[in-house]
Amino acid sequence: MFTKILIANRGEIAIRIIRACKEMGISTVAVYSQADKESLHTALADQAVCVGGARADDSYLDGKRIVSAALATGAQAIHPGYGFLSENAEFAQLCRQYGLTFIGPSAEIISKMGDKEAARKLMRENGVPVTPGTDVLEGPGEALKAAKSIGYPVMIKASAGGGGKGIRLVERPEDLERSFRTACAEAEKAFGDGRLYMEKYLAPAKHIEVQLLADHDGNIVCLGERECSIQKNHQKLIEESPSPGVNPETREKLVQAATSAARAAGYVNAGTVEFLMDKSGKFYFMEMNTRLQVEHPVTELVTGVDIVKWQIRIAAGVPLDFTQKDIQLQGAAIECRINATKSSRVEFFHPPGGPWVRFDTFLYQGCDISPYYDSMLGKLIVYSSTRGEAIRKMQSALCELLIDGVENNIEEQIDIVRDRRFRAGDYYTDFIKYFNPKDKG
């Protein structure tokens, strides 16, 4: 087992990993930008190293500086968290080059699954259902022909995409060329790769993802599914497990498909296979995320499996000590992402409390919210024996959560969990499009 790990991230996820390491008896090294000098994760780690300026390009995205910090402090492994360098194959390769363990899949697997079009092709070849669509498109002209064949509406997606970037919904032929060029430019800026492909737009559809762990011995265990259909601008707002729209028969099929996907990729460590599911229960592969997900806590609560600790164990060569038969989903867990809508200073902060209520965050009273990074302030997570009680617990916790001085989306989240469609579990990825805060049923 490692004795010292560097966490190549910031905010709540850096804190989450530091806490897991402390419980495992592992020393930690935090890295920080000049803007994050007073951040909570730097105080909680055993050591902290400044790796550059406030801009992510000058600090958290500078792989060479992070590797240098790991070597200088004697860390044996690097945990990338999510975002930043977590799905960067070059960084994973750089770690290996300097004898550091990258806590995640290999550079080869990251490259294979990071190319969305290539991943779709691999899934088709291995019997995993894939949304009808195309390979990489040469330009708007080819896209027009493909859309006519597939049938509108269609989704244009970045092959190297993620995080809602480089995606456009096209409902009419006259909008396709403009959408294609806009998505291409956005993808080029975000990923340095403007390649696009096209999928049939499924509506209404649920966004269902399956969390899994895979060790070096070829053992693969799926930890149930998460429902991630409450989204705004292709960014998730609320996640829950288990999904209210998945029955035991469909769950078994999802587990089989996700296992086949991981085996086809030769996957090792924690990963998530994402699907779109229509009203009839048919589901289609979208992509595989080769990292820890923001919403991993809801899975941990309903399975009792600590995903972060198992990421570390697997990276150290420890085989899984449980099988698929050992995974039984118990109760219900919900997570609400609390986002800043404007950067400022936290004047007053009061997190909610009570049994099975937690707020994963980096906030403290008086801290500044930087404009340089992601807008998420924290994740409010609740667990209960039933979904109905979990919803009521979440409503209570949201009302108790106070973050003064920073404009945020707490009120919006309260309205969503009170919505009759959310309470019924009868919601899809177009929820926000038809969302009416007054429609509480």
Side-chain angles (χ1 to χ4, degrees):
M1 181 49 63
F2 311 112
T3 58
K4 184 181 286 188
I5 292 174
L6 181 142
I7 296 95
N9 217 298
R10 64 181 298 278
E12 68 85 16
I13 192 57
I15 294 170
R16 167 72 179 91
I17 298 165
I18 288 168
R19 287 172 174 158
C21 288
K22 285 178 181 290
E23 292 174 18
M24 297 176 75
I26 300 171
S27 296
T28 54
V29 180
V31 294
Y32 64 93
S33 69
Q34 290 173 1
D36 276 343
K37 185 178 180 180
E38 305 298 326
S39 289
L40 189 56
H41 76 284
T42 66
L44 294 179
D46 297 294
Q47 293 174 265
V49 179
C50 181
V51 289
R55 287 169 47 88
D57 287 346
D58 299 327
S59 51
Y60 299 109
L61 288 173
D62 193 323
K64 291 182 179 179
R65 291 186 184 184
I66 290 171
V67 166
S68 294
L71 295 173
T73 55
Q76 300 126 339
I78 294 180
H79 197 308
Y82 55 72
F84 293 132
L85 295 170
S86 62
E87 293 183 285
N88 187 303
E90 291 182 6
F91 180 64
Q93 176 59 33
L94 188 66
C95 290
R96 183 165 60 190
Q97 180 182 335
Y98 284 92
L100 298 165
T101 300
F102 178 81
I103 300 178
S106 68
E108 291 77 13
I109 293 174
I110 293 173
S111 293
K112 185 189 301 182
M113 303 313 290
D115 187 325
K116 304 299 188 276
E117 187 271 332
R120 282 164 46 85
K121 183 178 180 181
L122 179 65
M123 294 304 110
R124 282 197 299 267
E125 292 172 350
N126 285 273
V128 179
V130 175
T131 313
T134 71
D135 294 335
V136 169
L137 298 162
E138 293 297 325
E142 187 178 4
L144 274 168
K145 292 179 182 178
K148 185 177 180 180
S149 174
I150 294 170
Y152 290 90
V154 296
M155 289 289 283
I156 295 173
K157 292 187 173 184
S159 184
K165 302 292 186 182
I167 297 177
R168 289 295 183 276
L169 170 63
V170 184
E171 301 183 273
R172 305 178 304 169
E174 52 265 38
D175 297 331
L176 194 142
E177 183 172 350
R178 176 175 52 83
S179 297
F180 186 95
R181 296 190 186 282
T182 302
C184 181
E186 187 174 280
E188 184 66 42
K189 181 179 179 181
F191 315 113
D193 184 343
R195 293 177 303 146
L196 304 173
Y197 67 95
M198 184 182 293
E199 286 181 346
K200 175 67 178 175
Y201 178 65
L202 299 178
K206 282 181 169 290
H207 184 146
I208 306 293
E209 59 187 31
V210 178
Q211 174 74 63
L212 60 85
L213 292 169
D215 65 23
H216 290 278
D217 293 343
N219 301 306
I220 301 171
V221 177
C222 293
L223 306 178
E225 84 284 348
R226 293 186 290 254
E227 167 91 47
C228 307
S229 300
I230 305 291
Q231 302 178 7
K232 191 173 187 178
N233 300 322
H234 305 295
Q235 298 282 345
K236 300 168 185 173
L237 282 178
I238 299 180
E239 302 96 352
E240 61 177 311
S241 184
S243 165
V246 173
N247 59 35
E249 182 182 355
T250 302
R251 180 172 297 117
E252 186 175 343
K253 292 178 181 178
L254 283 163
V255 166
Q256 291 173 354
T259 302
S260 296
R263 205 169 296 285
Y267 201 84
V268 176
N269 213 269
T272 302
V273 186
E274 303 202 352
F275 300 95
L276 280 178
M277 187 177 78
D278 64 22
K279 276 194 167 184
S280 71
K282 290 182 179 179
F283 56 85
Y284 305 90
F285 173 86
M286 284 199 300
E287 62 182 357
M288 185 172 190
N289 286 306
T290 56
R291 55 169 169 80
L292 188 66
Q293 295 276 98
V294 175
E295 57 272 23
H296 74 275
V298 294
T299 295
E300 293 180 322
L301 287 170
V302 298
T303 62
V305 176
D306 190 312
I307 296 169
V308 175
K309 287 181 181 177
W310 271 108
Q311 280 191 294
I312 295 169
R313 293 186 187 118
I314 291 169
V318 178
L320 294 171
D321 63 3
F322 53 90
T323 67
Q324 192 64 57
K325 291 180 180 178
D326 297 317
I327 302 302
Q328 301 293 328
L329 305 187
Q330 301 288 337
I334 304 173
E335 174 182 293
C336 285
R337 300 191 189 192
I338 307 303
N339 300 322
T341 54
K342 187 177 181 181
S343 297
S344 188
R345 170 170 288 197
V346 177
E347 302 296 342
F348 180 78
F349 172 51
H350 174 75
W356 298 107
V357 175
R358 82 187 213 210
F359 186 49
D360 285 12
T361 187
F362 59 93
L363 297 183
Y364 59 86
Q365 200 158 306
C367 75
D368 292 316
I369 305 304
S370 173
Y372 295 104
Y373 314 116
D374 186 85
S375 64
M376 192 172 74
L377 300 173
K379 308 178 307 198
L380 183 55
I381 308 141
V382 303
Y383 171 81
S384 191
S385 58
T386 67
R387 183 174 184 268
E389 188 171 294
I391 291 173
R392 292 190 292 274
K393 192 186 288 278
M394 178 59 81
Q395 287 180 204
S396 176
L398 284 165
C399 290
E400 193 176 329
L401 176 61
L402 296 175
I403 307 173
D404 286 344
V406 180
E407 294 179 18
N408 58 68
N409 69 331
I410 294 175
E411 291 296 328
E412 180 185 38
Q413 293 285 34
I414 291 172
D415 289 333
I416 291 173
V417 297
R418 286 177 174 171
D419 186 274
R420 60 179 177 80
R421 289 174 299 158
F422 180 78
R423 286 188 279 115
D426 185 27
Y427 63 90
Y428 301 87
T429 54
D430 60 358
F431 176 90
I432 292 296
K433 182 178 179 180
Y434 301 106
F435 175 54
N436 181 358
K438 297 179 181 179
D439 189 14
K440 297 180 177 63

